Amino acid sequence: MNHSLYVHIPFCKHRCHYCDFITTAGRESELPLYADALVKEIRIANQYTEKIPLHSIYFGGGTPSLMALKDYEKVLEAIRQSYALTEECEISLEANPGTIQADYLKGLHALGFNRISIGVQSTDSFDLARLDRVHSIRDVLTSVSGARRAGFRNINLDLIFGLPWQDLESWRNSLQRAIDLQPEHFSLYSLIIEEGTALYRWHQRGLIEPQDQDLQADMYELAMELLAEAGYQHYEISNWAKENDGVDLRCRHNLQYWLNDPYIGVGAGAQGYFEHLRLVNTPGLTDYITRMQGAGGADWTPTNTPATISSEFVDPETRMMDEMMLGLRLIRQGVGAKNFHRRYNASMEAVFEAELNRLVGLGLLEWVGEGESKRIRLTHRGTMVGNQVFMAFV
Ligand code: SF4
């Protein structure tokens, strides 16, 4: 089975007002040390006599585009030497507008990156200022055109909706301007005001209120409409891919998560799911670097690196629940009954009989296809309340 590799780059120029991700601000000078630590953790995979096959590699953050090309060269070399990359391996980088200049983009492409995910968040300057993003609309335009000129044929744009001050019209305009840039892929997220963020403190002080749920639902429906009109296939709750002459432009790396397939995570705060173990690395940047610098001996494996702080076996019952919760996110595809049986030697209809009957009865799930292709998937109504559906399988 093909695997995926996630590499976490927890560095940012500063902390945005809504962000609770595992990242640091103002510590970019430590990036070369961090890259060396990553190389050490990646090389641990060499312990296996047969190399682990990879069909996707994803550098997420943080702001991975803050890392220098020479550091990426080292990290990618370690990956290529330690894993068996498929010929068409998807290699993605998350990038923030304003951090990716033309030469940098060309350098990334020359190193083998073939997908770039740009954290646009909004094309409205008022939104960007309120979210405390460091980039401007001009940066968005130059990033996308620069990526095209560098040779990227698979560009994703991340956008956020449901901002406390946003109305339907401003969301329509923000999304439409992004559509006009003609990326191959969109990831759209509704804003959640997370504890510990500046937005949360404003909310506590009564300065902002979370967006009205009905308006958020209207924004989501509007996005579905606009993106369908523009030729994008809505393939996952929050993700759309262009339908391009039969070329599959869905994010292969994220599909690995939704299909409940194995992935290895390296870096501070990275998580993995490998050999039926849920693995978590230390989130502390200094701790991560120190642990990797002190790593000696040859006893480490990808399921137990010096950075691992938690390793939990996922039993078959939990795996089956995960399969449903994750797989149902795939709107058209859903979860295949035959595939489920092949994986767990159990019938989905029998294991989740009560849940499936109830959700089908409520019009939130539907059975489609027959025989090999029989599968359960969300209805339109179910898509609108996806989280409630997924929680039924916990
Ligand atoms: S750039 Fe992204 S990861 Fe960094 S602080 Fe802003 S939202 Fe968080």
Side-chain angles (χ1 to χ4, degrees):
M1 177 185 279
N2 276 320
H3 292 62
S4 293
L5 178 71
Y6 175 78
V7 186
H8 193 58
I9 312 290
F11 293 85
C12 289
K13 284 190 172 171
H14 84 306
R15 176 73 72 168
C16 303
H17 280 164
Y18 60 98
C19 177
D20 76 331
F21 301 150
I22 295 178
T23 192
T24 57
R27 293 180 63 176
E28 293 99 300
S29 61
E30 293 169 71
L31 270 159
L33 268 184
Y34 186 71
D36 290 340
L38 285 176
V39 166
K40 277 197 164 185
E41 195 183 7
I42 289 160
R43 290 202 188 279
I44 287 172
N46 278 319
Q47 293 298 328
Y48 292 132
T49 39
E50 204 171 313
K51 287 188 176 172
I52 302 166
L54 288 186
H55 70 154
S56 76
I57 304 166
Y58 192 98
F59 290 83
T63 308
S65 47
L66 290 178
M67 194 148 101
L69 291 172
K70 64 177 177 2
D71 289 328
Y72 274 119
E73 196 174 352
K74 280 191 293 197
V75 171
L76 284 169
E77 188 190 5
I79 294 172
R80 290 194 172 103
Q81 288 172 353
S82 312
Y83 291 89
L85 274 59
T86 60
E87 209 176 310
E88 298 291 310
C89 186
E90 177 188 274
I91 309 182
S92 302
L93 181 100
E94 276 181 4
N96 281 336
T99 61
I100 38 176
Q101 310 310 326
D103 285 352
Y104 185 76
L105 286 161
K106 281 184 197 145
L108 289 174
H109 196 257
L111 286 174
F113 284 92
N114 49 28
R115 185 175 186 275
I116 190 153
S117 176
I118 303 177
V120 171
Q121 315 314 349
S122 173
T123 62
D124 181 302
S125 43
F126 181 74
D127 293 346
L128 291 177
R130 278 240 157 155
L131 293 171
D132 205 21
R133 299 288 303 190
V134 289
H135 66 266
S136 63
I137 310 295
R138 179 177 286 272
D139 292 330
V140 172
L141 302 179
T142 45
S143 299
V144 175
S145 59
R148 283 278 180 245
R149 275 199 298 275
F152 284 93
R153 296 289 166 264
N154 195 350
I155 299 177
N156 169 62
L157 302 186
D158 273 352
L159 292 183
I160 304 181
F161 64 95
L163 306 174
W165 51 86
Q166 197 173 36
D167 61 25
L168 202 56
E169 242 1 74
S170 68
W171 167 234
R172 179 197 294 277
N173 293 334
S174 179
L175 178 56
Q176 190 57 56
R177 279 191 291 266
I179 292 172
D180 292 344
L181 296 173
Q182 302 184 330
E184 281 73 25
H185 194 282
F186 272 103
S187 296
L188 309 184
Y189 302 102
S190 63
L191 180 82
I192 298 171
I193 299 180
E194 301 283 2
E195 227 176 303
T197 61
L199 286 193
Y200 185 80
R201 288 189 291 279
W202 295 351
H203 173 47
Q204 294 292 87
R205 285 162 50 199
L207 299 174
I208 54 165
E209 284 303 319
Q211 189 54 275
D212 174 72
Q213 293 284 309
D214 289 341
L215 182 55
Q216 279 206 32
D218 290 347
M219 289 180 175
Y220 185 55
E221 285 210 285
L222 177 65
M224 288 194 226
E225 243 173 67
L226 292 179
L227 288 167
E229 274 168 23
Y232 292 86
Q233 180 205 132
H234 191 187
Y235 72 96
E236 193 271 346
I237 291 276
S238 308
N239 287 275
W240 285 256
K242 198 93 184 167
E243 292 183 322
N244 239 0
D245 296 333
V247 180
D248 190 356
L249 292 165
R250 298 176 303 165
C251 177
R252 189 184 293 167
H253 188 82
N254 286 340
L255 279 170
Q256 190 84 357
Y257 302 148
W258 301 317
L259 294 172
N260 205 18
D261 284 340
Y263 56 94
I264 292 161
V266 295
Q271 303 194 2
Y273 173 54
F274 181 54
E275 295 181 348
H276 299 316
L277 295 168
R278 286 248 171 258
L279 301 155
V280 182
N281 272 0
T282 178
L285 183 57
T286 307
D287 188 36
Y288 176 77
I289 294 173
T290 311
R291 281 169 182 248
M292 292 317 304
Q293 282 174 338
D299 293 340
W300 305 110
T301 69
T303 58
N304 178 34
T305 82
T308 311
I309 55 164
S310 159
S311 164
E312 195 184 321
F313 177 69
V314 185
D315 58 54
E317 285 72 31
T318 310
R319 263 180 259 157
M320 286 191 278
M321 288 192 265
D322 289 346
E323 186 90 13
M324 300 305 291
M325 286 199 346
L326 295 165
L328 284 172
R329 296 188 65 93
L330 295 168
I331 288 173
R332 290 194 184 179
Q333 190 169 325
V335 184
K338 280 274 179 216
N339 189 46
F340 186 98
H341 195 275
R342 264 193 296 271
R343 285 189 159 208
Y344 304 104
N345 197 25
S347 146
M348 182 211 296
E349 295 94 315
V351 177
F352 296 111
E353 186 183 4
E355 293 84 352
L356 291 173
N357 285 343
R358 187 170 64 81
L359 293 165
V360 170
L362 289 170
L364 301 175
L365 289 180
E366 62 183 358
W367 287 103
V368 290
E370 280 174 24
E372 274 291 320
S373 64
K374 182 182 177 188
R375 59 199 196 278
I376 188 88
R377 68 179 187 189
L378 292 171
T379 59
H380 178 76
R381 237 178 105 205
T383 305
M384 297 305 295
V385 291
N387 283 338
Q388 286 173 40
V389 177
F390 310 143
M391 291 316 284
F393 295 93
V394 176

